[in-house]
């Protein structure tokens, strides 16, 4: 970082007009126009600095401006294109054709990756996913749909449908689409959307033959075929040779602009500066996105869509159309059209832990939470697709989570996963087609739009080579759950296998499962994570031959290589439990300013616990917006943590002045706020109630059916 000076020094009193113009322009075109209209605004700038961005090798000029809403702020990257006097080794910029991309560039990037990276960018180490292939592909040579040849190389397309009507494969036309030339321009009764048509041309530029695109490679009105293919989406993108990401497209007809004789011309924004007669500088506008700084589209629709999340997550080599420019991202490098070709630019990785989860047989709820925390803020043209668009991720996660998923919740830890919490105010998802509302159960995170948190962690890890996040809170199962595909169905038991193993092996000298050994605590006295019940730690721990670097408090079921568990989408879950009624009282304002938390009190006004509603309430709620009268709460689990603020156990009520404190431990019930409609209950919120207060209420048994 280099400090240039204040706005007065750099802009108002600079002796070099070239540098003055470069700095003001680099602060953004809006700033330049504003400065021309109000020259004295430069005096408001305290500090102007140049930063070298290691991610994209550009120089970024920033201005430290006191809060001044009238001053526009934006970022640009500067690259030296020509410098006659310098022998320094730095990555230079490229002056781009404003309309056309070099048609040799995609193939150059692909062949360079093939030769230099020794296949590491094309391999997905999850063995289950590696063996899965699509049924149909587009043959761009023959211009038709074909059965996917075994082990063939293909390119996948990730794009936004929007409301544009394009040719789709159906039961009625799939035979016609297999005829040579059926996809040629002008042959189809319904035109092929421009993004798909352009991608067919780019596949040929890449010297590939086959393209996978959902509209033509999934028979859209064959529900069984569609269900199977949607569950394979993670594998389809993971196994693609390259994935084309149409990031800047607003709909399927936006196109992949910039390739002569393939697509429409682009309109890239670039500014060229001369510093004297010797130094030439190229300037490109930047966008900040999740820690990445790139030449990118402002407010990309693609980045907000649920389907594209898993497509980006699993794609191994990406050809990205963004900001009317082109870049390549793979496991080893990032190459950009607007910079010279260099092997020094490493990729930006924000998903290392996520990839580890797909490759491990040990479930990690912390990483799982990261996935749906990011996924669940995304939108859908059809909200009822929230679980369909997650099915590919769920399929890949089955390598870690024994038994698979029920409506987005892992069955192995179902009782714990059911305790998801709102990270912010949520909005209930509503299906566009009323008959499909059952696809969005209120008890699953998929039934709600917004950031979701799982503030709990698994308790089976004693020691591990990395932070496996065993928080201080402990959860004890209270009941057994079933899922139901209809209200009349008898239901199938959800095998929470990790809880089953906890109950069977913790504290019992039962014979170890195959691959496990039991060891006395004296063999390894140091434990990074507390025991499942810290009040009575066990006398032994366990090790597994597949994971010798881990110590476990008890054995857990570990999926074998090749195991696959189908995801179940069930609208209902049921259990036998107990319920009571408490009143919603005052709101507790959290220190970090997010999500509403409400105190619960009994009929006598005694403080009982806390409730986190899922919608409508915010930290600015008015008293009349609180739930009126008593609300029905059902118990779903027991909880335990140390009654201390240091270390912080993560419970907001731990500091509440009305909470009854009893010694070293805080024991509580996890309770769900429900409302009934036509004989079934709907989840409205989740909370915790002090154990003694809850057990003093007039509880009654209830057959709970959650919808």
């Amino acid at each position: 970082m280099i400090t240039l000076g204040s706005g007065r020094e750099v802009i108002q009193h600079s002796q070099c007009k070239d540098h003055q113009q470069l700095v003001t322009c680099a602060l953004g075109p809006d700033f330049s126009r504003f400065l021309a209209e109000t020259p004295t605004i430069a005096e408001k700038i305290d500090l102007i600095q140049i930063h070298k961005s290691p991610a994209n090798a550009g120089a970024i000029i920033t201005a430290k401006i006191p809060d001044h809403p009238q001053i526009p702020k934006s970022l640009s990257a500067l690259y030296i294109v020509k410098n006659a006097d310098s022998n320094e080794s730095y990555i230079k910029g490229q002056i781009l054709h404003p309309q056309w991309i070099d048609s040799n560039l995609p193939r150059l990037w692909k062949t360079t990756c093939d030769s230099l990276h020794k296949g590491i960018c094309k391999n997905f180490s999850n063995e289950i996913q590696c063996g899965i292939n699509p049924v149909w592909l587009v043959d761009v040579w023959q211009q038709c749909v074909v059965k996917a040849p075994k082990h063939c190389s293909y390119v996948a397309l990730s794009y936004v449908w929007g409301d544009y009507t394009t040719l789709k494969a159906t039961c009625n036309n799939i035979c016609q689409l297999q005829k040579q030339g059926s996809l040629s321009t002008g042959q189809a009764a319904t035109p092929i959307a421009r993004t798909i048509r352009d991608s067919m041309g780019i596949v040929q530029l890449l010297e590939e033959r086959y393209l996978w695109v959902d509209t033509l490679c999934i028979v859209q009105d064959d529900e069984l075929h569609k269900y199977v293919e949607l569950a394979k989406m993670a594998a389809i993108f993971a196994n693609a040779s390259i994935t084309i990401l149409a990031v800047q497209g607003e709909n399927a007809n936006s196109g992949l602009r910039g390739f002569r004789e393939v697509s429409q011309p682009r309109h890239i924004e670039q500014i060229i500066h001369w510093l004297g007669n010797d130094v030439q500088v190229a300037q490109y506008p930047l966008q900040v996105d999740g820690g990445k700084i790139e030449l990118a589209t402002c407010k990309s629709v693609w980045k907000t869509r649920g389907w594209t999340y898993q497509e980006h997550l699993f794609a191994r080599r990406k050809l990205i159309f963004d900001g009317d420019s082109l870049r390549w991202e793979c496991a080893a490098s990032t190459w950009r059209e607007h910079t010279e070709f260099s092997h020094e630019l490493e990729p930006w990785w924000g998903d290392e832990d996520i990839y580890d989860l797909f490759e491990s047989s040990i479930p990690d709820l912390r990483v799982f939470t990261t996935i749906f925390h990011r996924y669940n803020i995304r939108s859908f043209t059809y909200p009822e697709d929230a679980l369909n668009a997650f099915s590919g991720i769920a399929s890949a996660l089955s390598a870690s989570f024994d038994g698979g998923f029920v409506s987005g919740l892992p069955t192995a830890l179902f009782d714990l996963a059911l305790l998801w919490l709102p990270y912010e105010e949520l909005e209930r998802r509503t299906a566009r087609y009323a008959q499909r509302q059952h696809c969005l159960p209120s008890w699953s995170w998929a039934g709600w739009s917004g950031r979701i948190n799982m503030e709990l962690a698994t308790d089976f890890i004693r020691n591990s080579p990395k932070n496996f996040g065993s928080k201080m809170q402990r959860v004890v199962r209270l009941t057994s759950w079933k899922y139901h595909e209809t209200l009349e169905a008898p239901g199938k038991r959800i095998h929470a296998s990790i809880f089953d193993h906890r109950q069977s092996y913790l504290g019992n000298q039962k014979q170890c499962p195959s691959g496990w050994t039991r060891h006395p605590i004296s063999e390894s006295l140091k434990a990074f994570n507390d025991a499942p019940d810290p009040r009575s730690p066990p006398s032994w721990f366990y090790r597994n031959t597949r994971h010798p670097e881990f110590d476990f408090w008890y054995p857990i079921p570990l999926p074998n290589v090749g195991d696959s568990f189908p995801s179940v989408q069930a609208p209902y879950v049921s259990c036998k439990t107990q319920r009571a009624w408490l009143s919603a009282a005052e709101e507790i304002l959290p220190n970090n300013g997010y999500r509403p938390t409400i105190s619960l009190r009994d009929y006598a006004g005694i403080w009982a616990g806390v409730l986190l509603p899922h919608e409508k309430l915010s930290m600015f709620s008015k008293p009349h917006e609180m739930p009126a009268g008593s609300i029905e709460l059902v118990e779903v689990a027991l909880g335990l943590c140390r009654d201390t603020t240091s270390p912080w156990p993560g419970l907001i009520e731990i500091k509440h002045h009305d909470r009854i404190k009893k010694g070293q431990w805080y024991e509580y019930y996890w309770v769900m706020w429900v409302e009934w409609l036509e004989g079934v209950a709907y989840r409205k919120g989740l909370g915790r109630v002090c154990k003694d207060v809850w057990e003093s209420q007039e509880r009654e048994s209830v057959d709970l059916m959650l919808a």
Side-chain angles (χ1 to χ4, degrees), residues 2-11 45-50 62-64:
I2 300 174
T3 298
L4 300 180
S6 66
R8 182 192 298 271
E9 295 167 332
V10 177
I11 297 175
I45 301 175
D46 290 343
L47 200 63
I48 296 176
Q49 297 174 316
I50 297 180
T62 61
K64 183 179 179 182

Side-chain angles (χ1 to χ4, degrees), residues 518-540:
R518 182 186 290 112
H519 304 264
I521 292 294
S522 59
E523 187 177 312
S524 175
L525 295 175
K526 184 178 180 181
F528 182 79
N529 295 319
D530 280 341
D533 186 347
R535 297 169 300 183
S536 55
S539 302
W540 49 80

